[in-house]
Amino acid sequence: MRSIWNGAISFGLVSIPVKLINATESHSVSFRQIHTEDGGRIRYRKVCELEDREVSQAEIGKAYEDADGSMIPITDEDLSHLPVPTARTIEIVAFVPQERIDPLQMGSAYYLAASGATAAKPYTLLREALERSDRVAIAKFALRGRERLGMLRVAGDAIVMHGLLWPDEVRAPEGVAPDTGVTVRDQELDLADALMDTLGEIDLDDLHDEYREALEEVIAAKAAGEAPPQAPAEAAPGKVLDLMAALESSVRAARGARDGEGAGRAEEAEVRTLPQRERPARRTPKETGGKKSTSTAARKTAAGKPESSTARKPTAKAARPAKKTADRASAKKSTDKATGATAAKSTTGKSATDKSMTGKGTTTKGTTGKSTARKTASSRKRSA
């Protein structure tokens, strides 16, 4: 790999000659501008506005544009006198835990390669010291005409340097977060945790740029004189779901994709928190008990049904007097029998007419008691 900068790492009194190599590369597809009528290239030319002619690179210098639009020329000699000790040195200024570095500050990444055999041992020493301390080195260096901030860490057997933004170059997130109060329920957090657990981890090597691959297919088809592939049909508009329903659907879809039982992706939906509906006032409960039975009996009687059909469902209170009535009738029957037997023995001198009358009276009382008991028993059976 080609180096873009040569210098040394300053580690206290230790100097480590190194070469700076880009650790990343871009695979994005770039385009050229053309004239649509004839396909000719469109190029930018550097033209002097005062002379209205194109100038070469050797004739081009630097200048600072002032607020009033005037140009202040700055030469390379002016820049060479700047007090920049890091012009060819990566100066380590501190060692801190990696958690102290905000990812927002991290920029381009570079490999630091040992330059020459003499750099092998101090290079290895710094790498082992960083790995054992579990910390990263904060350094200052100059690249492309400006001083920069960097972070050195260990990656495998190499030392990697990440360019960092200066702290004052990171903007504060003012006005980014929602300015309205939002309450998240425990059930929603539980579903979010379940969704994260279901999705699980992924090997980053399996991820690829699908847009770039599709773009390359279009270019290949056009180069071969073929029609480019058609874009897939647009998905239907997302359904409006509340947050809980969207989370539950996402968890089900993720589990199905993980187990190979369902579609690979959850149905896309526009998530909106539905407003809570006002609960209607509770209605007064209907009256129960005797009033309901009375009204029911009245309706049945008015319909022309016999009263006996209404009496088939006596209440518990009505059943108690019926039981007492039956007990009284049974006791009275026993008393009448005992009285009739005693009278027959003691009144032997009475006439046959009196006996006949006594027998009739006894018979009448006994018949009345039996009739009352039968009605009461029938009423008890119906109530049961």
Side-chain angles (χ1 to χ4, degrees):
M1 293 184 287
R2 185 174 63 88
S3 63
I4 61 173
W5 181 90
N6 292 318
I9 299 176
S10 176
F11 179 30
L13 297 178
V14 179
S15 181
I16 310 172
V18 292
K19 295 183 293 184
L20 199 66
I21 302 171
N22 278 323
T24 61
E25 58 185 359
S26 175
H27 292 164
S28 60
V29 178
S30 59
F31 295 98
R32 301 293 186 184
Q33 291 183 334
I34 62 170
H35 189 198
T36 55
E37 293 185 2
D38 53 18
R41 280 281 305 274
I42 302 297
R43 298 181 182 273
Y44 292 98
R45 303 182 184 275
K46 298 179 180 180
V47 176
C48 176
E49 294 181 351
L50 297 179
E51 299 180 4
D52 194 19
R53 69 177 181 87
E54 185 178 356
V55 296
S56 63
Q57 184 64 33
E59 299 177 272
I60 299 175
K62 299 181 182 69
Y64 175 80
E65 184 176 2
D66 204 356
D68 58 358
S70 60
M71 296 296 176
I72 303 174
I74 302 295
T75 65
D76 292 339
E77 184 180 359
D78 296 332
L79 298 176
S80 64
H81 295 291
L82 290 176
V84 183
T86 57
R88 287 291 173 184
T89 305
I90 299 174
E91 182 182 0
I92 295 178
V93 296
F95 293 90
V96 299
Q98 187 169 350
E99 293 77 14
R100 290 269 304 275
I101 305 302
D102 190 345
L104 284 175
Q105 289 184 257
M106 299 181 68
S108 302
Y110 308 94
Y111 286 128
L112 293 176
S115 180
T118 58
K121 187 165 183 177
Y123 183 95
T124 305
L125 173 64
L126 177 59
R127 184 192 64 196
E128 296 295 334
L130 288 172
E131 190 170 14
R132 188 172 70 171
S133 66
D134 197 21
R135 289 182 291 179
V136 297
I138 303 300
K140 297 168 66 176
F141 66 102
L143 181 66
R144 298 189 180 96
R146 59 180 293 238
E147 189 174 46
R148 304 170 186 264
L149 193 63
M151 178 189 75
L152 278 65
R153 68 178 183 91
V154 178
D157 294 334
I159 298 177
V160 179
M161 183 173 67
H162 294 271
L164 298 179
L165 297 175
W166 296 98
D168 58 357
E169 292 180 323
V170 179
R171 301 172 63 184
E174 296 178 357
V176 177
D179 56 354
T180 57
V182 178
T183 302
V184 179
R185 296 180 293 172
D186 291 339
Q187 296 86 342
E188 295 169 341
L189 284 174
D190 292 340
L191 281 174
D193 292 340
L195 178 58
M196 290 190 291
D197 293 339
T198 304
L199 292 175
E201 298 181 357
I202 190 173
D203 188 355
L204 295 180
D205 293 335
D206 296 336
L207 301 178
H208 53 90
D209 189 349
E210 297 181 3
Y211 177 83
R212 179 175 60 85
E213 293 176 354
L215 184 58
E216 290 175 350
E217 292 179 3
V218 172
I219 295 173
K222 295 282 287 186
E226 302 174 357
Q230 297 294 325
E234 294 184 1
K239 299 178 181 178
V240 178
L241 304 174
D242 63 359
L243 185 56
M244 287 291 291
L247 287 171
E248 291 173 354
S249 301
S250 300
V251 171
R252 286 195 299 267
R255 287 175 179 170
R258 183 186 62 182
D259 300 336
E261 297 177 356
R265 295 182 179 177
E267 179 183 0
E268 295 182 357
E270 180 183 358
V271 180
R272 296 181 183 175
T273 302
L274 299 181
Q276 296 183 355
R277 298 179 179 178
E278 297 182 358
R279 296 183 178 180
R282 298 182 62 182
R283 297 181 179 179
T284 305
K286 296 181 179 180
E287 296 181 357
T288 57
K291 291 184 179 180
K292 183 178 180 180
S293 302
T294 304
S295 59
T296 305
R299 285 197 299 269
K300 290 183 178 180
T301 305
K305 293 186 178 181
E307 295 181 359
S308 59
S309 61
T310 307
R312 290 180 182 178
K313 298 181 180 180
T315 61
K317 294 182 179 180
R320 294 176 182 174
K323 183 177 180 181
K324 292 181 179 180
T325 304
D327 295 340
R328 291 176 182 175
S330 177
K332 186 176 182 181
K333 180 179 179 182
S334 302
T335 304
D336 291 344
K337 286 183 179 181
T339 304
T342 305
K345 290 181 180 181
S346 61
T347 56
T348 54
K350 289 184 179 182
S351 63
T353 305
D354 294 334
K355 291 180 180 179
S356 175
M357 291 174 63
T358 303
K360 289 179 180 180
T362 305
T363 305
T364 304
K365 290 180 180 180
T367 305
T368 304
K370 291 179 180 180
S371 176
T372 304
R374 287 173 183 173
K375 290 181 180 180
T376 305
S378 174
S379 179
R380 292 178 62 187
K381 290 180 181 181
R382 292 191 187 104
S383 64

